[in-house]
């Protein structure tokens, strides 16, 4: 089977804040007049994202995030709405103030092999991202660490390639990494009265969207979903 890697062409800027449910309602109502819902969303404009993040016993990835490294990489496997037919391995990278993302398709069997540490096949795989992860798993003993669920509502705007998302109902499995189990026990790790607002764009943020965001009571330095998931374990 021939796989195709998908790479970001250039880095994107990313803003992340925690906002109240009230501000979420106000902002989404305004955005609906100028932005379109993500075409992949369901009838209500929302979908479930489930990711399993890689780390090691020394919490290398978590600590790099907490300490604010300007150069850091994070690996995860992601599915949507419990659909095990579409599985992506993703690498999200920070380089100063820009975010880069690479991804490739994998199978459920390949993920299970990673999960139990059978990774020799990855060394010569035709997918570059698989080979990169093999090096990280070999050198730093990275492995699937925890599953994170959340419900996302996403809006897109073509000018500036803007994407605005609202993430809520954030839950973690702690150390259980059975990502394909729809009944995986999950525990809430985020204040239900708040929502994480993320804004991603290329060179510029259009004024019409910038003005809407400036009106919000935003809490700076919102935790990453992975960081939230590791607050209790």
């Amino acid at each position: 089977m021939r796989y195709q890697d998908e790479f970001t062409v250039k880095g994107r800027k990313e803003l992340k804040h925690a906002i109240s449910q009230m501000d979420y309602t106000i902002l989404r109502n305004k955005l609906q007049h100028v932005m379109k819902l993500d075409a992949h969303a369901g009838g209500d404009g929302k979908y479930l994202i489930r990711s399993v993040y890689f780390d090691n016993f020394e919490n290398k990835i978590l600590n790099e995030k907490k300490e604010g490294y300007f150069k850091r990489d994070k690996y995860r496997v992601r599915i949507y709405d419990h659909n095990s037919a579409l599985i992506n391995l993703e690498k999200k990278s920070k380089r100063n103030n820009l975010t880069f993302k690479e991804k490739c398709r994998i199978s459920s069997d390949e993920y299970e092999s990673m999960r139990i540490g059978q990774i020799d096949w990855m060394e010569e795989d035709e997918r570059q991202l698989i080979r990169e992860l093999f090096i990280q798993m070999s050198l730093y003993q990275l492995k699937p660490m925890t599953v994170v669920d959340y419900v996302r509502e996403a809006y897109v705007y073509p000018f500036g390639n803007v994407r605005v998302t609202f993430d809520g109902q954030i839950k973690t499995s702690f150390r259980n990494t059975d990502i394909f189990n729809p009944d995986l026990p999950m525990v809430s790790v985020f204040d239900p009265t708040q929502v994480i607002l993320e804004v991603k764009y290329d060179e510029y943020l259009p004024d019409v969207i910038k003005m809407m965001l400036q009106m919000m009571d935003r809490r700076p330095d919102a935790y990453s979903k992975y960081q939230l998931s590791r607050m209790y374990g």
Side-chain angles (χ1 to χ4, degrees):
M1 179 178 181
R2 183 70 184 174
Y3 292 90
Q4 178 66 42
D5 283 345
E6 302 177 25
F7 297 94
T8 51
V9 177
K10 53 189 174 181
R12 283 163 60 77
K13 297 179 181 177
E14 183 176 297
L15 307 174
K16 186 179 296 186
H17 301 277
I19 62 174
S20 68
Q21 286 283 350
M22 180 179 295
D23 280 344
Y24 152 69
T25 301
I26 294 172
L27 181 56
R28 73 183 289 271
N29 288 342
K30 291 181 177 180
L31 290 176
Q32 287 175 344
H33 294 291
V34 296
M35 302 184 74
K36 293 184 177 181
L37 276 170
D38 187 326
H40 298 96
D44 60 355
K46 300 179 181 180
Y47 52 95
L48 175 72
I49 295 178
R50 169 169 284 187
S51 304
V52 58
Y53 290 86
F54 288 69
D55 212 333
N56 63 14
F57 286 114
E58 296 178 348
N59 296 320
K60 176 182 183 292
I61 307 302
L62 178 62
N63 290 331
E64 289 178 353
K65 165 63 179 175
K66 287 181 176 180
E67 294 171 16
Y69 281 33
F70 289 115
K71 180 180 179 180
R72 62 182 187 269
D73 300 314
K74 178 169 59 181
Y75 294 88
R76 65 195 179 200
V77 169
R78 174 167 287 185
I79 61 174
Y80 299 87
D81 292 320
H82 299 295
N83 179 12
S84 60
L86 176 59
I87 311 163
N88 286 324
L89 169 65
E90 299 183 352
K91 172 187 174 184
K92 189 172 183 180
S93 304
K94 281 285 189 178
R95 299 294 184 266
N96 295 318
N97 293 320
L98 293 179
T99 300
F100 300 80
K101 188 165 75 171
E102 306 168 22
K103 64 180 179 179
C104 70
R105 293 281 295 275
I106 66 171
S107 69
S108 58
D109 288 341
E110 288 171 336
Y111 169 71
E112 289 299 329
S113 294
M114 296 177 189
R115 191 160 81 105
I116 63 176
Q118 295 180 351
I119 63 173
D120 289 347
W121 61 273
M122 298 170 63
E123 185 174 12
E124 302 295 335
D125 194 89
E126 64 181 13
R127 290 157 291 180
Q128 178 180 332
L129 196 53
I130 295 287
R131 299 194 303 271
E132 287 184 18
L133 180 57
F134 171 79
I135 293 172
Q136 297 297 313
M137 294 180 76
S138 300
L139 287 180
Y140 301 108
Q141 289 73 56
L142 294 189
K143 65 176 185 177
M145 182 64 69
T146 187
V147 173
V148 178
D149 280 358
Y150 55 93
V151 175
R152 167 163 287 181
E153 182 176 349
Y155 295 86
V156 295
Y157 190 77
F159 304 105
N161 190 22
V162 181
R163 183 174 175 85
V164 176
T165 59
F166 301 99
D167 297 334
Q169 303 178 44
I170 303 169
K171 301 176 182 179
T172 180
S173 67
F174 294 127
R175 299 301 179 94
N176 191 327
T177 57
D178 187 8
I179 189 174
F180 304 118
N181 179 4
D183 299 316
L184 184 66
M186 305 292 287
V187 177
S188 178
V189 293
F190 190 62
D191 186 346
T193 67
Q194 294 186 342
V195 173
I196 292 181
L197 163 69
E198 293 187 12
V199 183
K200 302 171 185 175
Y201 58 98
D202 288 347
E203 290 88 356
Y204 69 97
L205 185 62
D207 288 341
V208 63
I209 298 175
K210 187 185 299 182
M211 291 178 62
M212 293 180 188
L213 296 174
Q214 289 173 345
M215 299 173 63
M216 296 296 100
D217 178 21
R218 295 170 289 174
R219 285 75 170 174
D221 302 323
Y223 292 112
S224 72
K225 264 83 72 176
Y226 175 57
Q227 187 174 353
L228 283 168
S229 76
R230 296 298 308 283
M231 289 178 68
Y232 305 102

